[in-house]
Amino acid sequence: MPLTVPSRVRRICHVMSVACGLGALALPLAGAWGAWNYQDLVGSPPPEGMAPSLVWQGVAAVLLSLPMIWVGVGLVRLAALFRDQARGLVFTDANADRVRVFGSCLVLGAVLNPVVQTLAILALTHGFPPGSRLIQIGLGLDDAVLATIGGGMAVLGWVMGEARRLSEDLEGIV
Amino acid sequence: MPDLDEGQGGGRVILRLDVMMARRKVRGRDLAERVGITEQNLSLLKSGKVKGVRFETLAKLCQALDCQPGDLLEFEAE
């Protein structure tokens, strides 16, 4: 049964829905942009007179956008959740599932991130002469935080599923 | 006959609200007002389309109809 949503909350939900949709589009692009920021990605400038080839930059861009695509998928589900919440559909199976999927996408993104960064750096330096090619394996605090938040969201999704069941039970009691 | 809960293999509880209302000659609207529930919920109670009844609601029904919970609820074994 739809709940009565105060207009202020409804407005916030609409804004969040749009923000999540935009985030879902922007994140993969932001991830891909990393392929054109060699120094930020590798931590040092390329060797004198050398630059990654456009093809390998493209490969690195695709790789770097992969974790963000997953997070984007999660954000699309979150946008749908906010849309439903604005309509008063709060404790529903679909919403619980969306929160669970969002959490899982964050965890997957956090796990993929160090792997694709390693592969992206390898791709960027692939055209360099022997001795200048790099392979870097790095685990960042950001990934750990993302995975923790994702895990928390997945648990929250399960709790929402239980809340939906309780809500349905209470609806049938007079 | 309206049943309150279709138990899993153990029978069911039947709500005899309509019978008691007829005996006491109480109208639905009046009873709903005295008990403090909506007519819609009273109708659901009468038709047995509810999962449960709060003790509070049951007590108010008993008070309004001057009866005991046993007069309203009946267990029917399968």
Side-chain angles (χ1 to χ4, degrees), chain B:
Chain B
M1 188 62 69
D3 59 306
L4 193 61
D5 183 24
E6 288 178 22
Q8 292 178 335
R12 58 188 187 161
V13 175
I14 297 165
L15 195 65
R16 299 200 180 277
L17 191 58
D18 46 355
V19 176
M20 193 53 73
M21 281 173 69
R23 275 188 199 160
R24 297 288 188 264
K25 295 184 175 65
V26 178
R27 287 191 308 163
R29 181 183 292 186
D30 297 334
L31 184 62
E33 199 174 305
R34 284 160 73 181
V35 174
I37 58 175
T38 61
E39 276 189 81
Q40 188 191 0
N41 275 344
L42 186 69
S43 174
L44 288 173
L45 271 175
K46 281 164 69 179
S47 59
K49 288 175 183 167
V50 291
K51 285 187 179 174
V53 184
R54 288 194 183 89
F55 280 137
E56 188 188 351
T57 310
L58 189 58
K60 284 178 181 171
L61 281 171
C62 290
Q63 193 174 30
L65 296 169
D66 189 25
C67 64
Q68 291 296 313
D71 298 327
L72 295 174
L73 300 169
E74 190 180 307
F75 176 71
E76 189 180 83
E78 273 188 345

Side-chain angles (χ1 to χ4, degrees), chain A:
Chain A
M1 188 186 289
L3 301 176
T4 312
V5 182
S7 58
R8 195 169 59 91
V9 176
R10 200 164 45 237
R11 273 199 303 276
I12 291 171
C13 286
H14 281 307
V15 170
M16 288 303 292
S17 176
V18 172
C20 286
L22 291 175
L25 287 174
L27 275 179
L29 294 176
W33 181 245
W36 279 270
N37 287 319
Y38 183 95
Q39 196 165 341
D40 285 346
L41 190 65
V42 180
S44 60
E48 196 68 32
M50 278 185 250
S53 73
L54 200 61
V55 174
W56 287 108
Q57 266 186 325
V59 171
V62 170
L63 285 168
L64 289 171
S65 67
L66 284 177
M68 295 300 118
I69 286 174
W70 275 110
V71 177
V73 167
L75 283 175
V76 168
R77 303 300 299 267
L78 208 59
L81 176 137
F82 282 119
R83 268 201 306 276
D84 270 7
Q85 293 208 334
R87 286 162 46 210
L89 301 168
V90 180
F91 295 117
T92 63
D93 267 342
N95 278 353
D97 193 44
R98 283 164 184 155
V99 174
R100 263 197 303 267
V101 169
F102 176 64
S104 307
C105 286
L106 287 189
V107 172
L108 194 65
V111 171
L112 273 177
N113 210 27
V115 178
V116 299
Q117 283 212 357
T118 302
L119 293 173
I121 291 170
L122 193 64
L124 282 177
T125 59
H126 188 263
F128 292 0
S132 299
R133 291 174 192 163
L134 289 175
I135 184 160
Q136 275 185 0
I137 300 168
L139 288 171
L141 186 64
D142 290 354
D143 299 326
V145 170
L146 200 65
T148 307
I149 292 172
M153 292 300 280
V155 172
L156 194 69
W158 175 78
V159 171
M160 256 187 102
E162 291 299 306
R164 199 273 312 158
R165 219 161 294 153
L166 280 174
S167 167
E168 196 182 88
D169 275 355
L170 284 175
E171 264 176 31
I173 296 175
V174 176

